[in-house]
Amino acid sequence: MDAEELIAKYTAGERDFTAILLCEANLSRIDLSGANFSEAILSLTNMSGSNLSNANMRKAKLNVARLSGTNLHKANLSGAILNVANLIRADLREAQLVEATMIRSELIRANLSSANLSGANLSEADLREATLREANLEQADLSGAHLRGACLTVANLERANLHRADLSRADLRGVNLCNAELRQANLSQANLSGADLRGANLRWADLSGANLTGADLDEARLSGANLYGANLNNVNLLNATLVHADLTQANLIHADWVGADLTGAALTGAKIYAVSRFDLKADDITCDWVDLSPNGDRSHIQRFTPEESQRFFNATPPTVQIIVDRPLDPDANFILAATYRQIARQYSGLSNPPSIEVNSRRTIISFRIDQDDQLFLTAFVAIIPFSDAAFTQKNLITLIKMIQPQSGNSLGVRVSNLVVQLNVTLTKTIRKIGEMKIQPVRLDRESVSSFFQSPTQTVLANSSGDSLMVHYHPDFGRNLTNLPGVTKTSIGPAIKAQRFTTPPLNTVVEFVKSFYQIGE
């Protein structure tokens, strides 16, 4: 069958051309919509500009075929072979290309919106500026493909192979790249905002200047990746691997990277406002300075020596620890939980429950917090259930007053201003605490009352690992309630007689200065 005969039969109403052999024919600008070319051999055939919408071309061979500008809307090309085919500006919207072979095909500016290309082989294909909105490319092979400037918004590329693919300046907003292979891919200046990159392999990928705002990179592998100047605002990097990654001048504001491995990473100039420095692996990093300003405008620059940068990115979580000189019993545990629940409802700073360690003699209540400057406030509220509360709170206020600018402690203008703000915040918190309505939770058991009247210690530990004792009951360690003839009444005068020996001024100053990572 030649081209003229095929056209005549189609004009006469015939549509079934299954398995025909028609190579090097000229079928350009012909209406062949709805025709059945399944398993046909059409290699080197010129079908450019033709209408093949809704055509069945399943398992057809179209190697080196010319299909530029062809209308293949909703065509079925599943299993078809289109190696080195010319599909420039072709309309492939909603086309079925499941497991099609399109090695080195030309698809420049082609429209593949909502097309199904799952399992297709597009290795080294040219898809520059192509449109693949909502296309299904699950497990597709796009290794070495050229996708510069392509639009893949909300496309499904789960487990796709994009090794060495060029996706520079591509629009990948909301794309699903979960567990995709992106080793050595070029994603520079690409828009990946809201993309799902969980478990993706991005080793040695170029993401310089890319927009990854709100992207999910949970457990993604980014070793050796270039993220210079990338926008990682609000990104999820939980447990991600960033070994030797270049994050120079990257925007990491509000990013969550707890559990990430940053060994050997470059972080100079990174914007890290509201980014946790806890639970990271950050050995041998390179970081001369970071931007801690809320807007990333360099209004708050923190400079480091190599040793300081290591400490900064290997920080420990700040904690407030209340040590009670008595083991916690079930009834006291119930009351403690109920009291902290009431407090949390009225004061958000205590919304996370503490960890509790109990041994045969003592109870250790630990509150882990996100920021050093919340230590004093958390301690002020956490001690409320105990008889030592008034003394502990008084001591906290004394310590804050010790480091006020007028004390002549040479804090410097910026740190002095921050300390003043801290004092103002504490004052407001005290006022708010005074307005709290905490209903007493009571059980008719002597052991419960004894637990909350037992001597306590309150210790603050900042992110630098420095600790500060803010309260130490004089009878702590004596366990008076177990001594013969000692009652709550006899303990009362001892509690009233408490005196707080303030630590040296320079100790308190250094402890607070570390809140703001201020070096000498």
Side-chain angles (χ1 to χ4, degrees):
M1 184 184 295
D2 58 19
E4 289 76 12
E5 185 180 355
L6 184 148
I7 294 167
K9 287 185 176 182
Y10 183 88
T11 303
E14 188 171 338
R15 295 292 182 269
D16 189 1
F17 303 102
T18 303
I20 66 165
L21 174 62
L22 192 65
C23 296
E24 301 185 53
N26 185 2
L27 293 168
S28 63
R29 303 184 183 281
I30 303 296
D31 182 6
L32 295 166
S33 58
N36 183 1
F37 289 104
S38 60
E39 300 185 22
I41 300 174
L42 298 162
S43 298
L44 295 165
T45 295
N46 181 5
M47 304 176 88
S48 56
S50 295
N51 182 5
L52 287 159
S53 59
N54 293 294
N56 182 2
M57 306 182 83
R58 189 172 179 273
K59 293 187 178 180
K61 292 184 180 177
L62 291 143
N63 290 322
V64 204
R66 293 175 61 187
L67 292 150
S68 58
T70 301
N71 182 0
L72 289 154
H73 181 218
K74 292 188 176 181
N76 185 354
L77 288 148
S78 293
I81 301 172
L82 295 122
N83 295 329
V84 203
N86 181 347
L87 288 146
I88 296 172
R89 295 181 183 273
D91 183 356
L92 287 149
R93 288 172 299 139
E94 301 178 78
Q96 293 296 314
L97 289 147
V98 177
E99 296 184 356
T101 304
M102 307 174 77
I103 299 169
R104 297 179 64 190
S105 291
E106 293 182 277
L107 289 142
I108 300 168
R109 296 188 180 179
N111 191 344
L112 292 122
S113 297
S114 301
N116 187 354
L117 293 124
S118 60
N121 187 347
L122 289 143
S123 58
E124 298 186 47
D126 194 342
L127 288 140
R128 284 174 294 169
E129 299 182 31
T131 302
L132 294 112
R133 290 190 186 94
E134 300 183 26
N136 181 11
L137 290 142
E138 184 174 358
Q139 290 189 282
D141 185 354
L142 289 148
S143 56
H146 304 280
L147 288 146
R148 181 180 175 85
C151 177
L152 293 112
T153 52
V154 204
N156 179 17
L157 286 144
E158 185 171 354
R159 293 177 290 169
N161 181 4
L162 290 143
H163 179 215
R164 292 182 182 273
D166 183 1
L167 290 145
S168 56
R169 298 186 182 277
D171 188 349
L172 295 150
R173 288 173 295 167
V175 72
N176 178 6
L177 282 158
C178 186
N179 294 309
E181 176 60 69
L182 288 149
R183 278 177 304 137
Q184 298 173 290
N186 183 358
L187 290 146
S188 62
Q189 305 296 319
N191 189 346
L192 286 146
S193 58
D196 185 351
L197 288 147
R198 290 172 298 160
N201 186 358
L202 288 147
R203 290 189 176 105
W204 307 108
D206 184 358
L207 289 145
S208 57
N211 181 2
L212 288 139
T213 305
D216 191 345
L217 286 143
D218 192 344
E219 296 189 356
R221 289 159 285 171
L222 291 139
S223 296
N226 180 6
L227 289 147
Y228 186 101
N231 187 352
L232 293 150
N233 187 286
N234 276 298
V235 77
N236 176 12
L237 283 161
L238 288 170
N239 302 309
T241 305
L242 291 143
V243 176
H244 294 293
D246 186 357
L247 288 151
T248 305
Q249 295 189 37
N251 179 2
L252 287 150
I253 295 173
H254 293 292
D256 189 351
W257 59 4
V258 172
D261 188 348
L262 293 156
T263 303
L267 287 151
T268 297
K271 301 174 177 67
I272 59 166
Y273 176 78
V275 177
S276 174
R277 296 178 290 113
F278 316 129
D279 299 319
L280 299 174
K281 187 176 181 181
D283 299 329
D284 302 317
I285 62 167
T286 302
C287 186
D288 297 330
W289 59 277
V290 291
D291 184 350
L292 297 170
S293 56
N295 300 316
D297 57 7
R298 301 192 183 186
S299 59
H300 184 178
I301 296 294
Q302 177 62 55
R303 301 190 182 278
F304 304 113
T305 64
E307 294 76 18
E308 288 170 340
S309 66
Q310 298 300 315
R311 290 197 301 271
F312 185 88
F313 285 101
N314 287 281
T316 55
T319 57
V320 172
Q321 199 172 75
I322 299 171
I323 307 166
V324 185
D325 200 22
R326 190 176 185 87
L328 181 70
D329 63 84
D331 289 343
N333 185 40
F334 173 80
I335 292 175
L336 187 67
T339 305
Y340 280 146
R341 183 171 181 266
Q342 287 187 64
I343 295 169
R345 284 181 165 182
Q346 301 175 67
Y347 176 67
S348 60
L350 211 70
S351 57
N352 294 324
S355 62
I356 300 177
E357 179 185 343
V358 184
N359 58 41
S360 61
R361 186 176 177 85
R362 289 174 185 155
T363 303
I364 302 171
I365 303 166
S366 300
F367 288 87
R368 176 173 164 171
I369 56 181
D370 295 326
Q371 294 176 255
D372 285 320
D373 58 7
Q374 295 296 313
L375 281 166
F376 288 102
L377 300 177
T378 302
F380 200 95
V381 177
I383 195 65
I384 286 175
F386 298 91
S387 295
D388 279 355
F391 301 101
T392 305
Q393 292 170 343
K394 181 181 178 181
N395 296 345
L396 286 163
I397 295 169
T398 300
L399 290 171
I400 290 293
K401 288 180 178 179
M402 285 175 65
I403 54 169
Q404 291 305 294
Q406 63 267 26
S407 300
N409 45 44
S410 303
L411 284 173
V413 176
R414 185 166 68 84
V415 185
S416 294
N417 291 338
L418 291 168
V419 170
V420 169
Q421 290 175 19
L422 183 64
N423 190 42
V424 169
T425 305
L426 182 60
T427 302
K428 289 180 179 178
T429 303
I430 294 168
R431 189 179 302 117
K432 186 174 181 180
I433 290 167
E435 297 170 358
M436 284 185 183
K437 296 180 180 179
I438 309 298
Q439 298 297 324
V441 183
R442 300 188 184 281
L443 294 174
D444 295 328
R445 286 177 62 91
E446 183 69 19
S447 60
V448 172
S449 178
S450 297
F451 178 80
F452 292 102
Q453 290 195 17
S454 297
T456 66
Q457 292 181 35
T458 299
V459 182
L460 312 184
N462 63 23
S463 59
S464 299
D466 302 323
S467 61
L468 187 69
M469 179 77 70
V470 298
H471 175 71
Y472 189 108
H473 192 289
D475 292 325
F476 189 92
R478 295 174 61 184
N479 206 5
L480 294 176
T481 54
N482 290 333
L483 296 177
V486 177
T487 65
K488 287 185 293 181
T489 305
S490 63
I491 294 173
I495 294 176
K496 291 178 182 178
Q498 288 185 67
R499 294 290 183 270
F500 177 57
T501 304
T502 57
L505 176 61
N506 64 327
T507 300
V508 183
V509 168
E510 290 304 315
F511 183 83
V512 174
K513 281 172 71 176
S514 67
F515 290 12
Y516 312 106
Q517 291 298 318
I518 306 299
E520 295 297 331

